[in-house]
Amino acid sequence: MAHDIPHEQHFHDPANVTNPEHAEHHIVLPLEYSFVFGTLLLCTALTVFAATRDLGVFNPIVALAIACFKGVIVILFFMHVKYQSNLIKMTVGAGFFTFLVLITMTLSDYISRAWGLW
Amino acid sequence: MSHISPIIWQFLVKWMTNFALFPPEASKIAPQMDALYFFMVLVSLVGLTIVILLITSFSILYSKKRHPVAVQIEGSTLLEATWTIIPLGLFLVMFVWGALLYFRIYTPPANAMNIYVVGKQWMWKAEHPGGQHEINALHVPTGRPIQLTIISQDVFHSFSIPAFRVKREAIPGRYTSVWFEATTPGTYHLFCTQYCGTDHSHMIGDVVVLTPEDYKKWLDGSTSGSSLAQNGERLFASLSCAACHNTRPDARGPSLANVYGSRLTLSSGQQITADDAYLREAILNPSQHITQGYAPIMPTYQGQISEEGVIDLVEYIKNLDSDYRVQQTTASTTLLPEGEGNTTKAPVAPGANQRAPQGMVKQ
Amino acid sequence: MSDTIVTLPDQSTARIPKMNYLTKENGLLSWLLTGDHKRIAILYLISISFFFFVGGSLAGLIRLELLTPQSDLMATDTYNKVFSMHGIIMVFFFLVPSVPATIGNFIIPMMIGAKDLALPKVNLLSWYLYVAAGILALYTMASGGVDTGWTFTTPLSTHYVNTHVLTTGMAVFIAGFSSIFTGLNFIVTIHKMRAPGMTWFRLPLFVWAHYAASILMVLGTPVLAIAIVLMALERTVGIGVFDPTKGGDPLLFQHLFWFYSHPAVYIMILPGMGVISEVISTFSRKRVFGYTAVAFSSVAIAVFGFFVWAHHMFIMGISNYAVLIFSLLTMLVAVPSAIKIFNWAFTLYKGSITFETPMLYAFGFMGLFTIGGMTGVFLGASGTDIHLTETYFIVAHFHFVMVGGMLMAFLSGIHFWWPKMTGRMYPEKISQLAAVVTFIGFNLTFFPQFILGTLGMPRRYASYPPEFQILNVFSTAGASVLGVGYLLPVLYLTWSLKYGEIAGNNPWQATGLEWQVQSPPLTENFPEIPIVDHEAYDYEWLERQKEKEVASVG
Amino acid sequence: MSDSTAIAHGTAEAHHEHPPYQRHHFETIAQQNDATNFAMWLFLLTEIMFFGGLFTAYLIYRNWYYPAFVQGSHQLQIGWGTANTAVLITSSFTMAMGVWSAEMRKKGALVLCLVLTFTLGLVFLGIKTIEYSEKIEKHHVPGFHYSVQSFVDPASDPEVYNEYHDKPLALDMARHTELYFFLYFAMTGMHALHMIIGIAILGFMIFRARAGAYTTGHVTFVENFGLYWHFVDIVWIFLFPLLYLINRHPLAH
Ligand code: HEA
Ligand code: HEA
Ligand code: CUA
Ligand SMILES: [Cu+2]
């Protein structure tokens, strides 16, 4: 049984506190930031350009895909999530998941109402 | 009995005479609802009994006196699986059964007789097709499916007849419907069950179930002169609908004959069935769904016709199965004085329009 | 009391430890500016008790009015305001913060072996937000009240009433932030502040339950906030999102409102379930049967809790397909609760059971929550919901889960941890009596309402048809008994602050870390951060601890 | 009583050395940083859900009143929107550089970055003000003398008309543009409110940074504020296409 480990004298060791959810502090370098910054500006230009073309149903899809991409790189690099513990990654994931639950489940009602408006 | 204080005595008398434990079953759906209800009560009782039995018997068997030293137990996957799967199974049965019931109550049969109900703070107004109006009351015959088409003029209300086990929300700006078939003549409660402001609790009334004969008598005794469709026809004329909806070759709007119940193709390619709700929307928010082949030129009548007026129009269009009447209306439009258009209570149009309720549109 | 496990120290020599969180600093300011989670918990305890009695008095008024069929005690308008304020106060100012902000606040850091919550200042802030919101709510009540019901249904609340919707909305908005901060604090604390060796599966189930509830608070409450903001804008500027005449959809408000308020009912019940786990285990001296199942069922309730909100809108005009989906998911979310009930029942199996007050309340919880939960399933099955919705059946359902469930759990927990919080015992016999009185009063009050609901009596009615009177008379009579049952604890718990027996560290011989330190605890909880080498509810470990103590003393 | 209090203090803090910024209830500074960082993320989750309600409303009404949303969005100028996106992205970049400067303990660079971020934030709000005032002039503020003139008679609004040649909307559809503008104001307004709060905090931070508060090796505050600022940026990254871009080529309806 787990608690059969001999009971030791209580001691005070800060290292005990380091739990698996801790990630070492990673310093993102300016070069990396600059790359991301460049990509973001590029994407902005791209999405504005795409908006001037008539892509049919793809207009909103392209625009949102680009927005998602931009959002993801901001989260990963500017917000350091790429170098963070799994806990933070899951937290971010949980947030967007609940957000999607709100949207999709609400829309499931609106879309399936008998016709058009209602 | 003089030694019993009069208050207690009154209370006892009331108890004996005025005490209900279960609502009457006065519609066809009621026994079905009750069957599911009792099934659920039974499951709950069994579940509750099990829980209580477990607690009391363990409490007795393993009280500290009898059982001074507890035996540590991890758990038991088998047992835990049992009490996951059995309740889940039972709940799923309830789900399926409940859903069947739900769809039954909210899917009116095709041959149902339609009554319109308008809810407003704080009264119910029922409109029978023959033009009979009732406030806070509803007369219905037995043995005939009745569909209620319900709408609210202001806030949410809810039209509830406990004895029939049916209830439907009256939603502002949108038709909802429910149906029932009454079985037992009598007078039953009609409640507004959605909180709707100050006099919510006074928004009540009676549902009077009559035998078909009595119902006919009642119908004859309470006609208000013209049927809904007749009112609708008058409105149709006074609002100049026929300026566009006519049979002339250059008509700007589609013919409305037989439009009710038909499948329409919208300009977006979507296919929809023209039901009451669609007709209402087509009048109030026409550009919301443009019929294929037509321009979005129909003006909105939002704010110009009362809910009752819309009902009249809808009822008129529903019964329109040829263009004959419309042509007549086109002719008579010119006879109407200017400015009559915007009111529900248009004066009775020239005598030509007065026909027997049934004969007038169904030709 | 031979059959009891209460092991109080020798009363003639025992003394409350001189140094504890209560005596550390004195003066009002030391309380108002404290960062100590235990003091904040006490502040919360006082404030929510106050609001409970405000809400309870309003409930008394409701029941008095319903004694007779006519609306004779007060005008319908007044009645509407009374039940609206009753619902708002009870939900947002009592039940949501009840167990988490008091017991949770006090106990969670101690249970996981931490000196405090991770963010003490945020903790204090959330109490101030709560107080600000509460004062606003009281102000609203004093200046005329609000009559929308606690659900603020549009378009009624936006276009058709002229009572204080905005200030009430603001009060709820602020209270929501208080709740967000509490939940956020708990999550951070549980993740980051656990003592060495305190792994996830060594956490007491109380902590798991609060973790699950906190997720709901953090992710659900903001949606309530935006719903209220939109409602306020609709009411003031008339923007049209909820106004059917402008093309808006009044149901959208309900989607947003219930997206919070259904998870909120689990915010209200989960912490109570945590209490029950602790109490049942302690008084049967046995580890909780199927620890992992109980722990994960809390998380399952929290996760599934986000998928079922539209079951409050079955007849309100959502699409029939949505009704199907939401009804099915409702059935799924009910299962984890059933698992918990049976796991608790089997915890008793081969235990060594005693029947102190907390245990009596816990038994009450199990019975009443089962009834309340099963009737929730009646409402979740779309067909029966048609008949039962918006009647007293619902009123009975939610009072069974909220009052019979959560309030019982709250009282259970207060009695259970009272010795830890104050260092003194409450009088056992009278408290057992109070538990029995509340149980009887409760059933008398709310059971007749199931029958009333089946008969079709609509809720939120100031007057009703005379044939419903008998059952209403029962209900009112029960409420008076219930009121007495709730008044008693206030009296004897207050009394015990001065005259109660000295409790000692661990009167119940419970295993939680909080019981291994002095009562009342030190400000920093543990003289030294403990190292955890045993699982939760390990009574053998507790025995060995005691032997060791005896050995070292002797 | 008072002496026992002193003892309590003594025992609690005697045996470990803390940097001044470590709060007493944390065991290590790493634990403290982890905790505050995690708390910040949880707070951002609440923000996601808060905006989530508005996004839901937007999606629903865009589907219902597509033509109204198309013509509503024609009233927005892509030029301003693009400029603002660039401004905001740049401010995000300067903020990120600020975090780096703090980590590297470069006080001057940190102050510079914060001042830049602060200024760019103000520029964003300035541009927003220009856009808003245009809406006010055209009576496109929902609830305040809203006018549907530009939609029932697009030619009366030559600037937009010359670019898009919109057909007139039927009156009932034209009225629903009010919903579009409400959502526009609610979403951008809520976003601007977050910017204002952020800018206020930035002001405070510049002040403290000049005193060297963040270049001691303890950078959590700057880092967490950075998270907030980037989050606000992300919200805009989504608002920009939704409000300005996706309706420029309406599907044949
Ligand atoms: C603490 C609060 C709380 C809790 C925990 C619950 C729990 C549940 N609730 Fe309840 N509910 C409310 C508070 C709560 N509710 C409130 C306040 C309202 C009204 C709001 C208003 O309109 O004002 C409401 C309304 C409400 C409705 C809406 C009714 C309507 O408006 O028409 C529905 C519908 O599905 C519902 C369902 C459920 C279900 C399925 C559960 C489940 O989670 C219950 C699960 C528990 C069990 C199932 C018990 C365990 C079972 C056993 C141990 C026995 C098993 C044995 C066998 C099956 C053999 N509730
Ligand atoms: C935590 C939640 C909670 C709690 C604890 C309670 C507690 C009680 N509630 Fe409440 N109730 C709600 C939440 C709660 N309620 C909600 C959300 C609604 C819906 C509101 C709406 O529709 O918008 C509601 C609605 C509601 C109604 C329906 C009103 C209507 O629809 O018309 C009724 C009617 O009986 C009722 C009764 C009671 C009673 C008798 C108690 C008792 O348990 C209270 C007992 C407590 C006391 C009595 C106070 C303590 C004693 C004293 C201070 C002594 C002095 C007092 C007296 C002698 C009276 N409640
Ligand atoms: Cu109408 Cu309640
Ligand atoms: Cu619910």
Side-chain angles (χ1 to χ4, degrees), chain B residues 214-226:
Chain B
D214 288 347
Y215 180 66
K216 202 166 173 318
K217 264 183 239 150
W218 177 82
L219 273 186
D220 294 343
S222 44
T223 40
S224 58
S226 52

Side-chain angles (χ1 to χ4, degrees), chain C residues 456-509:
Chain C
M457 174 167 167
R459 64 190 284 206
R460 297 171 166 174
Y461 261 30
S463 58
Y464 53 86
E467 74 259 32
F468 298 149
Q469 189 182 7
I470 305 296
L471 289 165
N472 272 300
V473 169
F474 280 137
S475 185
T476 302
S480 337
V481 179
L482 196 54
V484 173
Y486 290 140
L487 215 48
L488 278 177
V490 182
L491 300 179
Y492 63 74
L493 288 180
T494 317
W495 175 88
S496 78
L497 285 177
K498 201 156 161 81
Y499 305 102
E501 295 186 351
I502 307 290
N505 290 4
N506 194 355
W508 315 124
Q509 295 303 303

Side-chain angles (χ1 to χ4, degrees), chain D residues 67 130 160 180-181 193:
Chain D
I130 299 176
V160 178
Y180 171 82
F181 279 105
L193 184 70

Side-chain angles (χ1 to χ4, degrees), chain C residues 483-541:
Chain C
V484 173
Y486 290 140
L487 215 48
L488 278 177
V490 182
L491 300 179
Y492 63 74
L493 288 180
T494 317
W495 175 88
S496 78
L497 285 177
K498 201 156 161 81
Y499 305 102
E501 295 186 351
I502 307 290
N505 290 4
N506 194 355
W508 315 124
Q509 295 303 303
T511 54
L513 286 183
E514 78 272 24
W515 294 108
Q516 315 311 323
V517 297
Q518 69 178 46
S519 333
L522 292 170
T523 299
E524 53 279 345
N525 296 344
F526 302 96
E528 225 162 331
I529 291 298
I531 294 178
V532 183
D533 55 6
H534 62 280
E535 302 193 349
Y537 316 115
D538 189 340
Y539 291 91
E540 288 154 14
W541 169 82

Side-chain angles (χ1 to χ4, degrees), chain A residues 12 22 25 51-53 117, chain D residues 27 34 37 64 100 103 249:
Chain A
H12 191 81
H22 175 76
H25 192 84
T52 62
R53 308 282 101 186
L117 184 59
Chain D
E27 288 299 293
D34 272 7
N37 181 262
W64 277 9
W100 177 79
E103 280 162 340
H249 295 282

Side-chain angles (χ1 to χ4, degrees), chain D residues 98-127:
Chain D
V99 173
W100 177 79
S101 314
E103 280 162 340
M104 302 315 273
R105 310 195 187 197
K106 296 179 194 290
K107 190 168 120 184
L110 171 64
V111 174
L112 176 68
C113 284
L114 292 181
V115 170
L116 279 178
T117 317
F118 182 86
T119 322
L120 288 169
L122 286 180
V123 171
F124 179 93
L125 290 180
I127 295 183

